[in-house]
Each structure stands twice: as C-alpha cells, then as structure tokens.
Amino acid sequence: FLEPTKDPDWLITDLITAAADGGRVLVAGPEKSFKSMFAVGCMVALASGEPLFNYDTWSVPAPGDVLAFMGEGGREWNRTRVIDLMQGYGFTDEQTLATVSRLKMATVPLGPPERFALKLEEELRENQYKLAIVDSLYVFGGQTERSQLASMGTLLVQWAGICERAGTTLMVVDHFRKNESSLELQSVSGVGASQWAQAWSLMTAKYGAEDDK
C-alpha cells in the first residue's frame, strides 16, 4: 500500500487498461448508438496497433490478440464491419493480414450462461489474448435475472475472474433501459454491470443511425 503509484498499463491510451490495472470495461448506450461499432473499432485498433478511429489521443502502445463474442448481427456481419473499417483506415494488404491474424471471432455457444463461461475459459486457454469482448450482456447472460444485483454480480465476477486469470481485459457491451438516453450509469439496463465495471464508455444515439445492431 505504501508503494508509489504508477501510470496504468494501457491497451488503448486513456480508454482501456490491461488486466493487471483493472481490466473491466463496460460499453453501454441506447439503441442505434454505435456500441457494437465502438467494440469493433477497439478490436481493429488493438490488433493493428493503430490509434482508435485514427485519434492520436487513443493510441495503442503495443498491438495484441483480441477475442470477440459478437452475439448481435452474426459473425459474417461483424467480419464485414472489421474489413470495412480497415479499408477506411487505408490499410495495406500487409497491415490487413497482420491485423486479421490477431483477431478471433469465436462461435457463439447456445444455452445457459454456464456454457458460455466454459467456452470463454476454453478460448483463453488456447491463446493469450489482451482483450476479450462480449457483445452483448443480454445475449450471453441467458436467463440471469437482470433486476437482481447478486445474480448479475455473480455472473460478471465469474467472467472477469476467468479473464483475470488469463491476463485478459474484459469488455462487456450492454444497453440502456428502454426510452432512456441520458449519459449516466443509472441509465444502464438492469443492475450489476455499472457496479462491476472499472471503466466505462457511454454512447449517445445519433439521429438516423442504422449501423448499430
């Protein structure tokens, strides 16, 4: 406790820390607020080593492997998003191949949350990932009661524990309550996620946006 504090080990500067410095990230917002696109952006940034959305402020000190469970839109839809984003960045063929080699979109296991936890653990045993993305909480949380803090807390602590043991930061994508748009943690659907997170990014809806699933 008496040791001097040090700057956190950033995966993406000022946004996402390494597992040893917390490593519990919540991304939340109302419908059509580009939550999934933000998650995809983080995937590409970390895997490529390029700043997130080309903002130098959100630089990537060192690239690393990323594991993603994309429960909304399907693997092919999200794979297209990744490719489109890399093309928008103007990646060379060499950059594209290097980035793709560090990305894995895992198959989505059907069934109760316990099955997902086993799948997450299995994937993290097979490779050293810097970041694991779960998009979104309602898909992989199964029938867990969103209004019960103890239930959601147990679920998220279990996932975080699996990731922490593997040295992996966990990012969970969640939704705001219906008809809620204020950028406050209290707007997040259900309970548990906002209390669990060590860092959070709250998204705002953009009129006419159609890209977020």
Side-chain angles (χ1 to χ4, degrees), residues 183-211:
L183 291 178
E184 303 288 345
L185 281 174
Q186 292 86 345
S187 300
V188 178
S189 178
V191 297
S194 58
Q195 292 87 347
W196 161 85
Q198 178 261 347
W200 49 87
S201 294
L202 303 181
M203 318 298 288
T204 184
K206 181 178 179 182
Y207 181 78
E210 297 179 356
D211 191 46

Side-chain angles (χ1 to χ4, degrees), residues 7-138:
D7 291 336
D9 183 10
W10 295 105
L11 300 185
I12 299 178
T13 303
D14 291 339
L15 278 180
I16 301 175
T17 62
D21 287 304
R24 301 185 305 278
V25 182
L26 172 68
V27 176
E31 284 190 84
K32 311 302 180 187
S33 58
F34 295 97
K35 300 179 295 296
S36 295
M37 195 65 222
F38 180 81
V40 168
C42 291
M43 291 168 53
V44 172
L46 186 54
S48 68
E50 296 294 323
L52 176 62
F53 300 130
N54 277 335
Y55 286 108
D56 290 338
T57 302
W58 295 334
S59 62
V60 176
D65 289 2
V66 182
L67 172 67
F69 293 92
M70 308 300 283
E72 296 187 333
R75 292 172 70 192
E76 289 307 313
W77 173 256
N78 284 288
R79 198 185 307 272
T80 299
R81 283 175 160 178
V82 168
I83 293 171
D84 288 347
L85 191 55
M86 289 189 293
Q87 289 177 342
Y89 283 165
F91 280 10
T92 64
D93 290 344
E94 185 178 356
Q95 283 178 299
T96 298
L97 288 173
T99 301
V100 169
S101 72
R102 298 190 186 103
L103 295 176
K104 179 172 184 180
M105 288 193 188
T107 55
V108 177
L110 300 176
E114 294 79 12
R115 185 173 297 175
F116 173 70
L118 290 173
K119 176 67 173 176
L120 176 62
E121 196 164 26
E122 174 188 322
E123 293 287 350
L124 294 181
R125 277 199 305 266
E126 293 179 358
N127 191 32
Q128 177 60 60
Y129 293 99
K130 284 193 172 183
L131 177 66
I133 297 172
V134 177
D135 185 5
S136 65
L137 182 56
Y138 80 87

